[in-house]
Amino acid sequence: EAARDTLTRRMYEAGYYHAEIFRSSFIANDAPYSARVGFEVDPGPRVRFGEITVEGNQELASGNIMPMVPFRPGQLFRPRLIEEAQRNIYSLDLIRNATVQAEPTSPEALDTIIPIRVVVSEGDVHRVRTTAGWSTADCFNAEARWVSRNFRGGARRLTVSGGVSNILAHQ
């Protein structure tokens, strides 16, 4: 089963998304822990990436999400590139959740062009964080930070922070 799974994964990565691997023979050898296994491979048609659509984005433009996708329409379909796209999209600060999915037209159809759907959920554009404390060295202290995770568009990040210490301390 592990060998069959490895063959299937390799076929998928070579662009054969509809490949099927069947065990055609199994012969147990006289030697312990050894056998001969034959597989029959039906690769099906080679598959390419189709149109890429982005959904769910409100603040962040699709033009800022698309550079995170490491493939373009017409390239050979490779599942690892879908996983890589999802990881890359998460690297944008504003994205809370991202899903990159292959969207075949129907389960039985052996499509050679598979559209891709990118669904994102954005987090808060602005964040405010405040802290306050007391210590023997600084007496009372406070700090505040404001972050814009889509400053003037383009997924730019702006952070403004400030702090005060030695509040109510004797000189």
Side-chain angles (χ1 to χ4, degrees):
E1 289 299 313
R4 188 175 75 83
D5 291 345
T6 300
L7 285 171
T8 302
R9 213 172 21 257
R10 287 186 178 180
M11 293 299 290
Y12 288 177
E13 289 301 326
Y16 296 101
Y17 183 65
H18 303 293
E20 293 188 55
I21 314 291
F22 304 101
R23 190 177 76 193
S24 61
S25 63
F26 178 83
I27 302 169
N29 293 336
D30 292 336
Y33 305 109
S34 67
R36 285 185 181 214
V37 180
F39 292 101
E40 195 172 303
V41 178
D42 178 11
R46 264 196 144 165
V47 175
R48 299 191 178 279
F49 287 107
E51 179 186 4
I52 304 167
T53 57
V54 178
E55 300 173 7
N57 55 322
Q58 297 168 355
E59 294 291 329
L60 197 57
S62 295
N64 298 120
I65 296 171
M66 288 304 294
M68 301 290 119
V69 177
F71 53 84
R72 295 291 167 252
Q75 280 183 279
L76 278 180
F77 184 89
R78 291 189 165 92
R80 74 175 164 75
L81 292 178
I82 289 179
E83 294 168 9
E84 186 179 332
Q86 190 161 327
R87 272 193 311 273
N88 292 348
I89 292 169
Y90 269 116
S91 71
L92 296 170
D93 274 346
L94 190 57
I95 300 300
R96 182 181 327 155
N97 193 8
T99 306
V100 180
Q101 302 170 314
E103 295 285 321
T105 54
S106 71
E108 355 15 269
L110 297 179
D111 295 334
T112 57
I113 304 292
I114 296 186
I116 303 298
R117 189 171 78 143
V118 177
V119 181
V120 296
S121 174
E122 297 173 345
D124 297 326
V125 176
H126 302 103
R127 283 195 171 170
V128 176
R129 182 178 181 179
T130 59
T131 58
W134 180 85
S135 71
T136 56
D138 291 335
C139 199
F140 289 103
N141 56 58
E143 185 178 325
R145 178 180 300 158
W146 176 84
V147 178
S148 173
R149 298 189 297 174
N150 194 26
F151 182 69
R152 299 182 58 126
R156 292 182 196 93
R157 181 183 175 127
L158 174 68
T159 303
V160 178
S161 62
V164 293
S165 61
N166 287 335
I167 302 171
L168 302 176
H170 296 292
Q171 288 188 352

